[in-house]
């Protein structure tokens, strides 16, 4: 083992860095804010670990990449964009009280990033370690996916620092997830004078919503949830347009293909209506087999730590789909992701930092986990 024998993680120092990152608001798509956030993340990494972090520009903001040098062995993966709009910090400032840290992004996932960096700082030797912190995870990782996959394949093992599952459990599997946008074009007409001359896009949407919802197979983990709908312009006009947004979650590649095929095959019920569909299950499922060896390693290092499969997706879905061993949920222990009550438990922060140090060190000093197809 290469862990330092005398050093210990400082919770106060972690809270200082977490405050710094939270107070640089970083909503997805806000490019100026994300540039500032990326610079803040890079500064924290360089201050705590040394070396130089590289900012990788993209259309959705800069990604932060850092390497400890040597042959790549393990990728520490996270993101610095958040779901909270600019101005949230004024209403909900960074606060430490009653054993909890609150503020926009503390749990998803700035707390996990800080813990990862401070855990790595416990190691004398950081060769083989890479850190990648992306700018677009909350909006699908469209511009970071290729870089994520490239570095995951190069490193051969991935640790994802999204927030922990309930009770601090690690995330050993994730559903594939995606959004479909169903657009319906009908024909407008006066609702009182000649309603029969129109093609009612809202009625067509109602037919489609019922059929779409029936695609779900919750008994095997497939959920298909019509979530947002809009139609019409005025109460006295037959609606000519309607849209339905649908959230889809699946546990298998077979279900991904079935659901995508079903959306592609949607046909109208009303004569004259036209349907178009955009979207896909953009994040493939992360099977529990992808995390099995890394989870076993974590349990040897920290007996009693538990894992669970969850419904949400992360960038770990992409790396697992490549066959790269991937373990998720290594970040902050708390809750309330994407909500105003988001929080991190202060008394868990040191233990999680020690977990990353031990796990990274063990990955580098044991034979590489075998890839899964």
């Amino acid at each position: 083992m290469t862990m330092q024998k005398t050093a210990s993680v400082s919770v106060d120092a972690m809270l200082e860095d977490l405050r710094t990152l939270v107070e640089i608001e970083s909503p997805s798509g806000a490019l100026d804010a994300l540039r500032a956030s990326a610079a803040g993340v890079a500064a924290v990494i360089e201050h705590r670990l040394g070396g130089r972090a590289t900012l990788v520009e993209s259309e959705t903001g800069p990604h932060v990449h850092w390497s400890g040098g040597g042959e790549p062995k393990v990728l520490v993966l996270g993101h610095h964009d958040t779901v909270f709009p600019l101005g949230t910090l004024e209403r909900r400032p960074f606060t430490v009280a009653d054993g909890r840290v609150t503020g926009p992004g503390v749990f998803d996932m700035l707390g996990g990033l800080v813990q990862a960096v401070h855990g790595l700082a416990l190691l004398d030797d950081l060769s083989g370690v890479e850190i990648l912190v992306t700018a677009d995870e909350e909006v699908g990782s469209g511009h970071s996916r290729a870089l994520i996959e490239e570095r995951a394949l190069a490193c051969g093992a991935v640790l994802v620092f999204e927030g922990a599952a309930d009770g601090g459990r690690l995330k050993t599997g994730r559903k594939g997830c995606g959004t479909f946008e169903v657009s319906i074009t009908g024909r407008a007409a006066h609702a009182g004078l000649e309603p029969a001359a129109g093609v009612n896009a809202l009625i067509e949407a109602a037919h489609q919503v019922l059929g779409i919802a029936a695609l779900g197979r919750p008994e095997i983990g497939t959920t298909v949830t019509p979530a947002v709908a809009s139609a019409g312009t005025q109460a006295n006009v037959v609606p000519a347009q309607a849209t339905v947004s649908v959230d889809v979650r699946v546990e298998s590649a077979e279900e991904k293909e079935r659901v995508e095929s079903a959306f592609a095959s949607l046909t109208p019920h009303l004569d004259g209506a036209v349907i178009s569909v955009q979207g896909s299950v953009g994040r493939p499922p992360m099977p529990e087999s992808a995390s099995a060896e890394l989870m076993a390693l974590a349990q040897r290092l920290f007996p009693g730590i538990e894992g669970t499969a969850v419904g949400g997706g992360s960038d770990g879905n992409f790396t697992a789909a490549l066959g790269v061993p991937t373990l998720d949920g290594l970040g902050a222990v708390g809750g309330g992701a994407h909500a105003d009550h988001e929080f991190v438990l202060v008394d868990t922060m040191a233990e999680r930092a020690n977990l990353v140090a031990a796990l990274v060190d063990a990955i580098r000093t044991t034979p590489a986990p075998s890839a899964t197809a």
Side-chain angles (χ1 to χ4, degrees):
M1 298 281 282
T2 58
M3 290 182 64
Q4 296 178 7
K5 302 303 182 183
T6 58
S8 60
V9 69
S10 166
V11 174
D12 287 341
M14 283 196 285
L15 291 173
E16 174 187 336
D17 287 345
L18 184 53
R19 176 188 289 274
T20 296
L21 297 185
V22 169
E23 291 183 347
I24 307 172
E25 292 185 282
S26 56
S28 305
L31 295 184
D32 287 343
L34 288 166
R35 291 186 187 100
S37 176
V41 170
V44 167
I45 292 172
E46 291 172 357
H47 176 60
R48 300 299 177 185
L49 303 181
R52 178 69 66 181
T54 300
L55 300 187
V56 182
E57 295 295 335
S58 82
E59 293 180 24
T60 50
H63 315 307
V64 182
H65 181 244
W66 179 92
S67 172
E71 180 185 354
K73 293 287 185 65
V74 56
L75 178 65
V76 169
L77 182 59
H79 63 90
H80 64 97
D81 62 320
T82 71
V83 300
F84 301 102
L86 292 173
T88 302
L89 185 68
E90 182 177 359
R91 176 174 56 84
R92 192 160 56 87
F94 179 89
T95 304
V96 182
D98 301 322
R100 293 187 172 198
V101 189
T102 56
V106 290
F107 180 67
D108 188 11
M109 62 167 288
L110 301 175
L113 293 181
V114 168
Q115 290 170 180
V117 171
H118 281 256
L120 291 174
L122 296 174
L123 300 176
D124 285 324
D125 177 17
L126 289 170
S127 62
V129 179
E130 292 192 16
I131 301 173
L132 179 58
V133 186
T134 65
D136 62 350
E137 192 274 346
E138 295 290 4
V139 289
S141 306
H143 290 275
S144 59
R145 180 174 180 175
L147 179 60
I148 291 166
E149 293 176 337
E150 172 195 311
R151 298 323 307 157
L153 287 168
C155 291
V158 178
L159 303 178
V160 185
F161 282 81
E162 294 283 358
D166 290 347
R169 290 178 292 175
L170 306 185
K171 295 174 179 177
T172 55
R174 285 184 177 274
K175 290 185 180 183
C177 55
T179 302
F180 291 81
E181 188 84 7
V182 180
S183 299
I184 298 155
T185 300
R187 185 169 58 247
H190 194 293
L193 296 178
E194 48 180 2
V199 177
N200 194 317
L202 177 55
I203 291 177
E204 181 62 48
H207 284 292
Q208 295 299 327
V209 164
L210 293 175
I212 288 167
L215 295 174
R217 292 180 178 173
E219 69 278 4
I220 57 171
T222 300
T223 59
V224 179
T225 307
V228 180
S230 63
T233 55
Q234 299 290 335
N236 61 352
V237 179
V238 174
Q241 299 289 332
T243 61
V244 180
S245 296
V246 186
D247 179 271
V248 173
R249 313 274 166 156
V250 298
E251 289 187 358
S252 69
E254 292 77 16
E255 280 295 277
K256 174 183 184 294
E257 293 174 5
R258 180 186 70 84
V259 172
E260 288 179 340
S261 176
F263 272 95
S265 301
L266 292 178
T267 55
H269 291 249
L270 303 181
D271 290 341
V274 177
I275 296 174
S276 65
V277 178
Q278 292 184 319
S280 65
V281 180
R283 294 185 190 273
M286 174 183 164
E288 290 193 80
S289 58
S291 66
E293 293 184 65
L294 290 176
M295 185 64 197
L297 182 58
Q299 289 175 321
R300 288 198 297 272
L301 294 167
F302 283 77
I305 197 166
E306 297 180 352
T308 187
V310 296
S314 81
D315 287 336
N317 291 57
F318 298 134
T319 63
L322 295 172
V324 178
T326 300
L327 185 59
D328 203 339
L330 286 154
V333 179
H338 298 189
D340 280 354
H341 67 280
E342 181 183 27
F343 69 95
V344 171
L345 297 175
V346 175
D347 64 4
T348 64
M349 294 179 71
E351 181 180 46
R352 299 299 274 203
N354 283 309
L355 171 61
V356 61
L359 194 52
V360 165
D361 197 53
I363 291 170
R364 294 182 311 163
T365 56
T366 56
S370 58
T372 55

